[in-house]
Amino acid sequence: MATKYIFVTGGVTSSLGKGIISASLAKLLQARGFAVTIQKFDPYINIDPGTLNPYEHGECFVTEDGAETDLDLGHYERFLNAPTSQANNVTTGRIYNHVITREREGAYLGKTVQVIPHITDEIKRRMLLLGQTGEFDIVITEIGGCVGDIESLPFIEALRQLRWELGVHETAVIHLTLVPYLRAAGELKTKPTQHSVRTLSEAGVQPDILVCRSEHPIPAEMRKKIALFCNVKTNSVIESLDAETIYDVPLLMRKEKLDERVISKLKLPHRIEPNLDSWKEFLGRLKNPTAEVNVALVGKYVELPDAYKSIIESFVHAGSANECKVTIKWFQSENLNCDNVASLLKDMDAVLVAPGFGERGFAGKLEAIRFVRENNIPFMGICLGMQCAAVEFARNVLGLEGAASTEMFPDTPHPIIDMMEDQKQVTQMGGTMRLGAYTCELKRGSKAYSIYGKAKVTERHRHRYEFNNRYLEAFEQAGMIASGINPDTGLVEVIELQHHPWFVAAQYHPELKSTALTPHPLFVKFVKAAINYAKSK
């Protein structure tokens, strides 16, 4: 079977949930036995989101092969339970960079390089790339931004050309719109959807299916009206109501028969009815918890939860595995100090110190870690959170005054955290870090080993600075052991406190590998430790 292509566009407003709809449709098609992947085309000019402020764009998701990508790829992995790669996220910046580099190499033989055909040809090439591997029956492409945006036009034009070239049953376009409810008038309004579809049609693309986001059910008469004015079949007007959890959306889309409409349009074989038993079991545990814990998340970007999207979802997965409702309490690390940390964190059942870059909020993270270390509260540190745990231990247990990370304090007398030697000469931002999957060997008998249940794991990284092994012996003699080591470099990956109920910190990002159906063991055991702590209070 030749690979089929589905394109998901959005209109009216951003943040309608194109990523969740794409992931949900992929889940349904996967549950029917099709091999599916999803890719995201982003219209911004950054080569990748690696240098973007999390306040600007939310979390930067890292793939196995070390690509810094849009956070939607996290949704794709969490729903499909399959890894993505560099090829699954393409930006305008990457497209233009490739075309301009080729032009400098003389690849266009002196021709005038233009948006059409050269940029659109490169977009089309990348849209088809994953389909040409032979690994997938269906490739879903989510196009970022809104139709009508200037920066999205080349993507929509490439889509128009591709539909014409591939043939009528080889592609399907799903357009996500908003049907707002006007409280004053007491009714839903279809005009924004009509305008959005008209804008898409003016660009030469007629959608096959409309997914209408709404806070209220869309009556049958209104669906008929939308279908009439937007040139789609009535049964291709799909209602997408606000859901209790994003993990409900595949079941809601199944109820709305979105997968059936796609199968019909693409003339796909019906294979089997979707098997969603394990998904329903996950949801059943999630919605019927037998325990509840409060977990503090201490970070510097807490005003925008999307900055910690994968961590939030990892707690959802681990909560379901433990049949426990995990309530995350947000703490801005800048606001924590030695005077208020006890009153703020004393009622918490566990504390997670989040990743991040830079000096802001560093002191507050150290205070939080000191409090949980001294009071035997379950603790997990991720990336900078692990580095903070090392610095706090050096200062307050080993008595190394001024101990710090050279990232924040280049002149520290005790560089507990320091830059890798091969990074010290690198000045260019972006792509200079330890990125992607690296092996970690766990010490037998350690808590980390018991959590994973095996001696060797691979985890994803995104950082420049490392634990300084010159201090390792002093740490281990004082009870902080390195329970995870990279076998190739000897770099410390996991540290844990021996005489503490649950104090584990990792240099890598375990949240990036947690999915709905395979929750990450570190988060599962961390939530379990929080449950035990809550019971013991």
Side-chain angles (χ1 to χ4, degrees):
M1 183 181 99
T3 303
K4 306 277 188 173
Y5 297 89
I6 300 167
F7 297 91
V8 179
T9 59
V12 186
T13 173
S14 59
S15 302
L16 287 182
K18 291 192 297 293
I20 301 299
I21 291 296
S22 300
S24 298
L25 173 59
K27 183 76 211 167
L28 292 175
L29 293 170
Q30 185 191 57
R32 285 178 176 273
F34 295 103
V36 190
T37 190
I38 321 175
Q39 54 187 2
K40 173 83 184 278
F41 279 59
D42 269 313
Y44 50 78
I45 295 175
N46 303 66
I47 299 287
D48 59 45
T51 56
L52 287 176
N53 186 324
Y55 283 129
E56 187 88 18
H57 204 71
E59 158 188 279
C60 175
F61 188 82
V62 179
T63 59
E64 286 284 290
D65 61 353
E68 294 178 291
T69 68
D70 186 81
L71 61 78
D72 274 334
L73 269 73
H75 290 313
Y76 306 162
E77 291 201 6
R78 288 188 281 272
F79 276 63
L80 289 180
N81 213 26
T84 53
S85 70
Q86 180 86 56
N88 292 75
N89 192 199
V90 179
T91 66
T92 293
R94 185 164 280 145
I95 298 286
Y96 272 82
N97 190 45
H98 180 83
V99 170
I100 291 166
T101 301
R102 293 198 70 223
E103 185 273 330
R104 292 287 85 189
E105 292 167 351
Y108 299 111
L109 304 173
K111 280 193 162 42
T112 305
V113 179
Q114 296 175 287
V115 173
I116 301 172
H118 301 101
I119 296 297
T120 49
D121 280 354
E122 177 60 15
I123 293 171
K124 287 190 292 183
R125 185 184 76 82
R126 298 210 181 215
M127 285 176 167
L128 298 174
L129 219 49
L130 285 168
Q132 291 163 348
T133 62
E135 293 176 41
F136 305 107
D137 302 318
I138 301 161
V139 175
I140 299 176
T141 302
E142 178 194 342
I143 296 176
C146 283
V147 294
D149 292 350
I150 289 172
E151 59 259 37
S152 295
L153 286 174
F155 293 108
I156 302 298
E157 170 59 19
L159 166 53
R160 182 194 70 76
Q161 294 178 22
L162 212 49
R163 296 200 87 190
W164 182 252
E165 292 164 12
L166 290 176
V168 66
H169 295 302
E170 305 309 304
T171 64
V173 174
I174 298 170
H175 188 55
L176 188 61
T177 72
L178 179 67
V179 178
Y181 179 78
L182 292 187
R183 193 176 294 143
E187 58 186 2
L188 293 163
K189 290 294 180 186
T190 66
K191 193 61 77 178
T193 294
Q194 293 176 45
H195 281 305
S196 182
V197 173
R198 183 186 300 163
T199 303
L200 188 57
S201 299
E202 284 170 356
V205 176
Q206 168 61 42
D208 302 299
I209 298 166
L210 295 180
V211 175
C212 301
R213 276 300 301 272
S214 177
E215 295 175 3
H216 298 269
I218 302 171
E221 281 306 308
M222 188 165 281
R223 293 198 198 206
K224 283 180 187 169
K225 179 182 175 183
I226 291 170
L228 178 66
F229 285 115
C230 296
N231 285 346
V232 298
K233 292 177 180 175
T234 306
N235 62 4
S236 290
V237 177
I238 305 289
E239 170 189 276
S240 176
L241 297 174
D242 293 352
E244 185 185 337
T245 163
I246 57 171
Y247 300 104
D248 277 330
V249 178
L251 301 183
L252 296 174
M253 290 302 102
R254 172 76 187 113
K255 199 174 168 189
E256 284 287 301
K257 301 184 176 174
L258 174 60
D259 52 333
E260 290 181 28
R261 301 312 309 147
V262 166
I263 284 168
S264 171
K265 169 67 177 72
L266 295 176
K267 295 279 189 280
L268 286 162
H270 260 74
R271 293 204 181 174
I272 55 170
E273 285 300 297
N275 179 1
L276 295 164
D277 291 349
S278 54
W279 195 263
K280 288 173 182 171
E281 285 169 18
F282 159 75
L283 275 171
R285 292 192 305 271
L286 182 65
K287 292 184 176 184
N288 300 286
T290 57
E292 183 171 354
V293 294
N294 292 314
V295 176
L297 192 150
V298 178
K300 62 189 277 193
Y301 307 114
V302 295
E303 294 83 0
L304 183 74
D306 266 4
Y308 303 111
K309 193 67 184 166
S310 291
I311 291 175
I312 296 168
E313 298 308 321
S314 297
F315 276 124
V316 173
H317 310 152
S320 172
N322 283 288
E323 295 184 42
C324 173
K325 181 185 178 187
V326 179
T327 302
I328 297 174
K329 306 285 186 181
W330 302 90
F331 291 91
Q332 168 56 260
S333 53
E334 274 190 293
N335 300 337
L336 288 175
N337 55 54
C338 58
D339 298 324
N340 66 14
V341 68
S343 61
L344 291 172
L345 297 182
K346 69 178 188 324
D347 295 327
M348 296 296 109
D349 301 313
V351 174
L352 183 144
V353 173
F357 291 92
E359 187 183 345
R360 185 169 68 84
F362 185 72
K365 289 182 176 181
L366 298 187
E367 288 300 335
I369 292 166
R370 178 173 189 161
F371 179 77
V372 297
R373 179 178 59 76
E374 291 177 348
N375 290 278
N376 288 331
I377 298 169
F379 165 77
M380 177 153 76
I382 297 176
C383 201
L384 182 62
M386 174 267 202
Q387 297 177 356
C388 288
V391 169
E392 188 279 329
F393 190 81
R395 287 185 185 181
N396 300 320
V397 177
L398 299 181
L400 300 176
E401 198 175 328
S405 165
T406 53
E407 178 186 3
M408 294 82 178
F409 305 98
D411 300 324
T412 171
H414 298 291
I416 304 299
I417 306 298
D418 202 0
M419 189 177 275
M420 296 178 279
E421 282 304 315
D422 58 351
Q423 294 289 8
K424 288 186 177 176
Q425 307 309 315
V426 179
T427 55
Q428 188 181 357
M429 289 287 280
T432 62
M433 294 182 281
R434 190 144 73 104
L435 282 165
Y438 286 83
T439 304
C440 171
E441 285 185 349
L442 302 169
K443 271 188 187 167
R444 290 182 185 274
S446 68
K447 189 173 283 304
Y449 181 85
S450 69
I451 287 167
Y452 281 95
K454 52 186 174 182
K456 189 177 277 192
V457 296
T458 60
E459 293 283 2
R460 298 181 197 177
H461 291 247
R462 183 178 183 246
H463 60 96
R464 268 187 199 88
Y465 294 82
E466 303 281 356
F467 181 87
N468 188 341
N469 280 346
R470 283 189 318 181
Y471 294 90
L472 186 53
E473 191 180 336
F475 265 67
E476 297 208 317
Q477 283 176 356
M480 175 82 84
I481 65 161
S483 54
I485 300 283
N486 179 286
D488 303 316
T489 58
L491 293 169
V492 174
E493 301 277 23
V494 186
I495 57 174
E496 59 183 68
L497 206 49
Q498 284 183 298
H499 307 296
H500 189 285
W502 214 97
F503 190 106
V504 181
Q507 179 62 81
Y508 48 76
H509 290 260
E511 73 275 17
L512 298 177
K513 290 187 76 165
S514 186
T515 72
L517 299 184
T518 53
H520 196 286
L522 264 175
F523 279 90
V524 173
K525 295 296 197 296
F526 183 50
V527 170
K528 180 73 176 162
I531 294 169
N532 292 338
Y533 180 80
K535 284 178 183 170
S536 71
K537 282 199 289 190

